[in-house]
């Protein structure tokens, strides 16, 4: 069996295993509700030729809408905060809740602004950033507590009730998207001195709205139509068609093994990535939450090391999730889980071919 086939087979097997584990732990098997968006996997399209960063507003409207929709879910840490054993540090954004220039536990999307040198000219580019909602999310496969799931809309979500804040998801994400807030989460009750360090937070594509047949808050709020949502295959086709018309570029289709987020730009994403990196260096910006745009970045799960760690973590994740669920059940807490319909998931025959 060649390497490409083995990687594809690995992705399908780990996806199926993750879904089965989630169902075994949560006992849920609920399909996404019918909606105006239709059933099936969704995608978002972000057109950088239309986005101007809402420069006539104090805060980009997509960022403001995201914050308003999710504010009840933002963390309220218990202080004083303890450091992450065995590390001598703590991540606390609670005093920077109004920070809108990067991703934080209190700001799940932001609009980066860089000046890009291209074809001998300087161009201003505004780039809305949040979770890419990957086809094969490394964060989900390598979370040791099964706290991250991907449902059939394509949305990748973190369950803040079972996340221990170990930040493995951020470490393996090519963009370092999830951000950590200390002083919150189940670790405060289970092992406040020995494990984790809080809860990881990120965009979940407003999956609650998707299940109601509504668009994500950022999509509805954009005044220039720079962010759109629809069936993934349709948006992918539109991204390439539009890019061809403007002699431009597409991002998100190949990166990290494919994502549900497509960007269109009139300038190469290599130049945008270089501009972001250069701006961070000039400002001595080393804090997390301001990702670059590396082109054709490889999915960690497709590497030998990534496959190994996924295989090692899988049984531990299932056992850990089951233990956490049992703990919460004893406490009388309601179990929260992703809405997953296994009937829509691809199955693999013994000969390696696919059936639907």
């Amino acid at each position: 069996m060649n390497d490409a086939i083995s990687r594809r087979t690995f992705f399908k097997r780990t996806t199926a295993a993750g879904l089965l584990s989630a169902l075994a732990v949560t006992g849920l098997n609920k399909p996404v509700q019918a909606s105006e968006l239709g059933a099936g996997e969704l995608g978002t399209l972000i057109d950088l030729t239309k986005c101007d960063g809402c420069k006539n507003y104090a805060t980009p409207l997509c960022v403001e809408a995201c914050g308003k929709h999710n504010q009840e879910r933002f963390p309220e840490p218990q202080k004083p905060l303890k450091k992450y054993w065995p590390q001598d540090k703590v991540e606390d954004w609670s005093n920077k809740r109004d920070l809108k220039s990067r991703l934080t536990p209190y700001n799940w999307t932001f609009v980066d602004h860089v000046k890009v040198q291209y074809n001998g000219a300087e161009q201003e580019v505004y780039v809305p950033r949040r979770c890419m909602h990957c086809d094969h999310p490394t964060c989900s496969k390598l979370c040791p507590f099964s706290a991250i799931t991907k449902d059939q809309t394509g949305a990748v979500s973190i369950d803040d009730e079972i996340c221990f804040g170990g930040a493995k998801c951020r470490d393996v994400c090519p963009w370092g998207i999830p951000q950590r807030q200390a002083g919150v989460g189940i670790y405060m009750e289970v092992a406040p001195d020995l494990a984790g360090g809080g809860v990881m937070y990120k965009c979940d594509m407003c999956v609650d709205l998707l299940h109601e047949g509504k668009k994500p808050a950022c999509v509805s709020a954009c005044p220039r139509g720079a962010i759109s949502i629809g069936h993934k295959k349709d948006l992918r086709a539109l991204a390439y068609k539009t890019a061809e018309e403007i002699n431009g570029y597409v991002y998100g289709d190949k990166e990290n093994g494919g994502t549900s987020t497509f960007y269109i730009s009139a300038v190469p994403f290599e130049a945008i990535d270089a501009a972001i990196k250069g701006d961070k260096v000039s400002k001595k910006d080393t804090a997390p939450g301001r990702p670059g745009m590396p082109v054709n970045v490889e999915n960690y799960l497709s590497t030998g090391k990534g496959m190994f760690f996924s295989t090692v973590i899988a049984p531990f994740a299932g056992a850990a999730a089951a233990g956490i669920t049992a703990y919460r059940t004893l406490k009388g807490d309601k179990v929260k889980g992703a809405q997953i319909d296994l009937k829509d998931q691809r199955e693999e025959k013994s000969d390696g071919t696919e059936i639907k």
Side-chain angles (χ1 to χ4, degrees), residues 34-337:
S35 70
E36 64 182 70
L37 296 173
E41 189 171 10
L42 302 173
T44 51
L45 178 61
I46 301 175
D47 191 339
L48 301 189
T49 69
K50 296 180 178 180
C51 180
D52 68 350
C54 292
K55 50 189 173 184
N56 294 324
Y57 296 86
T59 301
L61 297 187
C62 61
V63 177
E64 183 176 316
C66 174
K68 287 182 178 179
H69 179 68
N70 294 297
Q71 61 185 349
E72 292 184 0
R73 300 170 57 194
F74 291 158
E76 292 297 337
Q78 300 177 35
K79 296 186 178 183
L81 301 175
K82 295 184 178 181
K83 296 178 179 178
Y84 308 138
W85 180 90
Q87 303 178 64
D88 186 26
K89 66 176 183 178
V90 65
E91 288 183 45
D92 179 23
W93 297 90
S94 61
N95 294 326
K96 301 178 181 179
R97 300 182 188 219
D98 295 330
L99 183 63
K100 306 299 182 185
S101 59
R102 64 196 323 112
L103 300 175
T104 79
Y106 302 90
N107 192 54
W108 299 356
T109 184
F110 81 103
V111 179
D112 210 339
H113 176 211
V114 290
K115 295 180 179 179
V116 180
Q117 296 292 334
Y118 180 60
N119 283 343
E122 183 177 82
Q123 299 188 36
E124 284 191 304
V125 179
Y126 295 87
V127 191
R129 301 307 304 273
R130 41 79 165 159
C131 178
M132 297 290 288
H133 299 283
C134 300
D135 295 345
H136 310 290
T138 51
C139 59
S140 175
K141 302 300 185 300
L142 295 177
C143 175
F145 301 101
S146 296
I148 307 178
T149 55
K150 178 183 178 74
D151 78 2
Q152 66 182 32
T153 66
V156 179
S157 307
I158 298 176
D159 186 340
D160 59 359
E161 293 183 3
I162 62 175
C163 174
F164 270 80
K168 185 65 177 177
C169 54
R170 182 173 60 191
D171 294 342
V172 298
C173 172
W175 302 280
I177 297 294
Q179 300 304 320
R180 175 166 56 187
Q181 174 59 44
V184 291
I186 193 172
Y187 92 102
M188 296 287 291
E189 301 177 48
V190 178
D193 298 316
L194 299 176
V199 171
M200 307 303 295
Y201 294 90
K202 72 172 190 66
C203 158
D204 63 2
M205 207 156 68
C206 289
V207 69
D208 56 331
L209 294 180
L210 296 182
H211 289 169
E212 296 175 4
K214 300 176 183 179
K215 298 177 182 179
C218 62
V219 176
S220 298
C222 181
R224 298 173 63 88
I227 311 175
S228 55
I229 187 168
H231 289 292
K232 181 181 175 182
K233 63 179 181 179
D234 295 336
L235 286 189
R236 180 182 182 277
L238 178 60
Y240 280 101
K241 179 178 181 294
T242 305
E244 184 177 2
E245 291 173 351
I246 66 172
N247 194 28
Y249 306 85
V250 174
Y251 187 85
D253 184 34
K254 308 295 183 183
E255 285 68 31
N256 203 38
T259 79
S260 294
T261 304
F262 306 105
Y263 285 87
I264 304 170
S265 172
V267 301
F269 287 96
E270 290 91 343
I272 295 176
D273 183 52
I276 294 173
K277 291 178 179 176
D279 191 61
K280 291 174 69 174
V281 169
S282 67
K283 295 176 180 178
K284 298 182 179 179
D285 181 358
T286 60
R290 190 186 176 191
M293 301 196 84
V295 175
N296 292 326
V297 62
E298 185 178 28
N299 188 297
Y300 183 69
L301 291 171
S302 69
T303 67
K305 189 175 181 180
M307 290 182 185
F308 171 76
F309 279 118
S310 180
T311 302
V312 170
I313 286 175
F316 173 79
I324 292 170
T325 300
Y327 169 78
R328 286 162 52 180
T329 301
L330 287 173
K331 286 187 60 185
D333 292 345
K334 184 180 294 185
V335 177
K336 185 170 70 174

